[in-house]
Amino acid sequence: MDTLGLLLVVVVHAANRHDSKAAFEVLEKLKGQFYRLVKVFADGGYRGELIDNVKNNLNFLLEVVLRTDKEEKFKILPKRWIVERTFSWFESYRRLSKDFEYHTKTSEAIVQLAMLKLMLNRLEK
């Protein structure tokens, strides 16, 4: 997603594969489509070897935005809320509420159709 929460690429994978392991595949797709992309934001689950792999192989800067346990009150962290907001937009689509699809490519297409509808609704206003 971009900084507005609009979808750039979609990768659906099996549940037995952790998102941090599949993240490199997503970033590879971004590299081929968005040549001006320089910085990618991620949460704490994407630390470790992924940062070095992305820097060495894709020439992106992967910046991990961490929350601190020192905060007693809720605090909005920069960039992290954007992904959560986009996921909440998808909650109104029944087809995305459960895994109905047999193929991952079909699931990817359903996510793309949902985002297309959201973007078309924005044009309408």
Side-chain angles (χ1 to χ4, degrees), residues 30-107:
L30 284 173
K31 181 69 174 177
Q33 294 182 12
F34 301 97
Y35 300 103
R36 293 179 40 197
L37 183 65
V38 176
K39 186 184 264 189
V40 177
F41 293 98
D43 66 12
Y46 297 93
R47 290 177 288 185
E49 65 184 45
L50 178 64
I51 295 172
D52 292 331
N53 285 343
V54 168
K55 185 177 181 182
N56 295 335
N57 298 319
L58 302 175
N59 295 324
F60 290 151
L61 174 62
L62 183 64
E63 183 177 319
V64 177
V65 180
L66 297 172
R67 66 178 171 86
T68 62
D69 292 330
K70 297 176 185 175
E71 297 290 331
E72 291 184 20
K73 292 185 176 181
F74 175 76
K75 182 180 174 187
I76 296 176
L77 296 174
K79 309 296 182 210
R80 282 187 56 170
W81 63 273
I82 296 170
V83 173
E84 301 304 326
R85 182 189 64 189
T86 302
F87 287 155
S88 73
W89 291 340
F90 289 150
E91 286 179 4
S92 62
Y93 294 93
R94 184 177 140 314
R95 192 92 180 249
L96 294 174
S97 65
K98 291 188 172 66
D99 188 16
F100 292 110
E101 313 308 329
Y102 185 75
H103 298 287
T104 57
K105 292 294 183 193
T106 307
S107 296

Side-chain angles (χ1 to χ4, degrees), residues 5-24:
L6 303 177
L7 195 62
L8 297 176
V9 296
V10 179
V11 175
V12 176
H13 56 82
N16 65 355
R17 189 170 174 208
H18 193 272
D19 289 344
S20 64
K21 301 297 180 195
F24 192 79

